[in-house]
Amino acid sequence: MDFNMKKLAADAGTFLSRAVQFTEEKLGQAEKTELDAHLENLLSKAECTKIWTEKIMKQTEVLLQPNPNARIEEFVYEKLDRKAPSRINNPELLGQYMIDAGTEFGPGTAYGNALIKCGETQKRIGTADRELIQTSALNFLTPLRNFIEGDYKTIAKERKLLQNKRLDLDAAKTRLKKAKAAETRSSSEQELRITQSEFDRQAEITRLLLEGISSTHAHHLRCLNDFVEAQMTYYAQCYQYMLDLQKQLGSFPSSYLSNNNQTSGTPVPSSLANAVGSPAVASTSGIVITSPSNLNDLKESSGSRKARVLYDYDAANSTELSLLADEVITVFSVVGMDSDWLMGERGNQKGKVPITYLELLN
């Protein structure tokens, strides 16, 4: 008990001595031991690294997860050391809505088929988005967070200890200056030697830790390269998905592609090739649109034509014919058939085919 009381008294005395020294320094009534320029530069570099790492980390989290409520939920689960439940993201949800709508409208209709294709693309983008978040969190955010919560906390602790040792040293210098009696002066000199040694030792420890900031920068540079590569992969995937979707939608009727055309009449196929002597006009999107007379001639005639398939098509039922891109089939009209369809024939297989998937050959 006596030992504990003495220790508490000593700690209280040390704390009071530091407080007095700190206050007198602020008031300009006591001298302050300055750190060497190299150590000051290292401390400044560490503080700068900490500030910018926090800003970059927080903004990256906002970029990857714009929803603040979702970020809070992920933070809570992380602190509880539990895995956050997997949730459908916005592109995946939009994609599912589009697929459901297209299925209800009918995959055989131009609009329904387009919705399904757009929905499938949105879901692929959602998957790519999920992969970007996971990769970036593992290879970029986690190393930054480890620095803030690990290395920098150690640096801050040692820096605080260095500050205390510096206050102890300057307090000892002040007491030595005020010492009058020889005995008191001898005791003060002994205290100064001890505090100087402890200060020098702590300064060296702090310096060694701070010099590791350069290694931290090198490590964060590698993590930054990983983040850029993850973004590059994500945007390349999204670009390819949208490029493929654009090609598929390019074969749809121009009336569905134009925002200004609100008519509900029979759409004009944009993918049909020109018949001999038939005029063609260019749409605003650069797609060549065949005159309706080509289709009307085929529907009114009893003959057949060869047609090249533009895109794959999966038959919705037994009355339709599945198609493979670039194959050539025979098509002809049937009285009473919907205007958006023709009868297709491949060998002994026969069934309805959507005209928007075909290019009539001369």
Side-chain angles (χ1 to χ4, degrees):
M1 182 64 71
D2 290 341
F3 173 77
N4 291 336
M5 291 299 295
K6 290 179 180 179
K7 186 176 184 302
L8 287 174
D11 290 342
T14 301
F15 176 79
L16 180 60
S17 174
R18 291 170 181 171
V20 170
Q21 178 65 28
F22 181 80
T23 303
E24 290 180 348
E25 288 176 358
K26 289 297 182 181
L27 297 175
Q29 298 175 356
E31 295 183 2
K32 175 182 177 181
T33 300
E34 299 293 341
L35 303 177
D36 64 79
H38 177 60
L39 187 55
E40 287 284 6
N41 288 337
L42 290 176
L43 287 169
S44 177
K45 185 177 181 180
E47 182 65 19
C48 183
T49 300
K50 179 251 186 182
I51 291 173
W52 284 111
T53 299
E54 284 182 331
K55 290 183 177 180
I56 292 172
M57 183 176 69
K58 290 179 180 178
Q59 193 56 40
T60 302
E61 291 173 343
V62 173
L63 173 69
L64 297 176
Q65 178 51 269
N67 187 338
N69 293 329
R71 291 200 303 273
I72 292 174
E73 181 185 53
E74 291 172 359
F75 175 79
V76 171
Y77 274 100
E78 181 182 348
K79 290 303 179 182
L80 295 175
D81 198 20
R82 294 175 57 187
K83 184 178 179 181
S86 178
R87 301 186 185 279
I88 187 170
N89 57 30
N90 290 331
E92 290 172 333
L93 184 59
L94 174 61
Q96 190 59 53
Y97 285 164
M98 287 182 168
I99 291 174
D100 293 344
T103 301
E104 185 166 345
F105 293 148
T109 65
Y111 184 44
N113 189 267
L115 278 172
I116 291 174
K117 292 186 179 301
C118 287
E120 291 171 347
T121 299
Q122 290 296 331
K123 294 189 78 170
R124 282 195 286 267
I125 290 175
T127 301
D129 187 65
R130 195 182 299 277
E131 292 173 354
L132 171 64
I133 293 174
Q134 292 174 348
T135 303
S136 300
L138 179 64
N139 297 335
F140 187 58
L141 287 177
T142 298
L144 298 187
R145 189 175 291 108
N146 288 343
F147 167 73
I148 296 297
E149 298 179 356
D151 295 348
Y152 188 79
K153 279 189 175 180
T154 302
I155 290 174
K157 178 182 177 182
E158 296 300 329
R159 182 179 181 176
K160 178 65 175 176
L161 191 55
L162 176 63
Q163 171 73 354
N164 290 337
K165 295 299 181 183
R166 202 269 309 161
L167 289 171
D168 291 343
L169 173 62
D170 288 336
K173 289 179 179 179
T174 301
R175 282 192 290 272
L176 179 59
K177 287 182 180 180
K178 294 179 178 180
K180 301 296 183 180
E183 183 178 348
T184 305
R185 188 171 186 81
S186 176
S187 174
S188 297
E189 289 175 349
Q190 176 67 16
E191 181 187 14
L192 178 61
R193 284 192 293 270
I194 294 174
T195 54
Q196 181 70 59
S197 175
E198 291 179 348
F199 171 76
D200 292 341
R201 179 176 177 276
Q202 185 58 40
E204 181 65 14
I205 293 173
T206 306
R207 181 185 65 79
L208 290 174
L209 282 173
L210 291 171
E211 287 178 346
I213 290 293
S214 296
S215 298
T216 298
H217 284 192
H219 178 51
H220 287 182
L221 174 59
R222 292 192 295 271
C223 297
L224 181 62
N225 285 331
D226 292 339
F227 179 54
V228 170
E229 185 175 346
Q231 283 188 304
M232 182 184 69
T233 301
Y234 169 72
Y235 289 119
Q237 286 178 326
C238 292
Y239 174 76
Q240 188 60 51
Y241 293 154
M242 299 310 296
L243 192 64
D244 294 342
L245 177 62
Q246 185 184 46
K247 289 179 180 179
Q248 294 179 56
L249 295 183
S251 66
F252 280 28
S254 61
S255 61
Y256 285 95
L257 299 177
S258 172
N259 289 331
N260 297 325
N261 190 341
Q262 301 297 329
T263 62
S264 57
T266 302
V268 179
S270 62
S271 58
L272 301 181
N274 297 335
V276 177
S278 300
V281 294
S283 70
T284 56
S285 60
I287 302 172
V288 176
I289 303 173
T290 307
S291 168
S293 61
N294 296 324
L295 180 60
N296 292 336
D297 291 344
L298 177 61
K299 286 186 172 292
E300 292 171 2
S301 69
S302 59
S304 61
R305 290 277 293 276
K306 292 292 185 181
R308 182 175 68 86
V309 178
L310 296 174
Y311 306 103
D312 292 349
Y313 177 74
D314 294 328
N317 52 55
S318 60
T319 66
E320 298 178 7
L321 180 66
S322 294
L323 303 174
L324 295 175
D326 294 325
E327 71 172 329
V328 177
I329 64 172
T330 301
V331 293
F332 55 90
S333 64
V334 175
V335 178
M337 182 177 289
D338 190 286
S339 60
D340 292 337
W341 297 79
L342 291 172
M343 186 61 70
E345 191 175 71
R346 183 203 305 113
N348 60 353
Q349 295 180 318
K350 185 183 296 185
K352 294 192 303 180
V353 293
I355 61 175
T356 54
Y357 282 67
L358 304 174
E359 177 184 16
L360 293 181
L361 303 177
N362 293 329

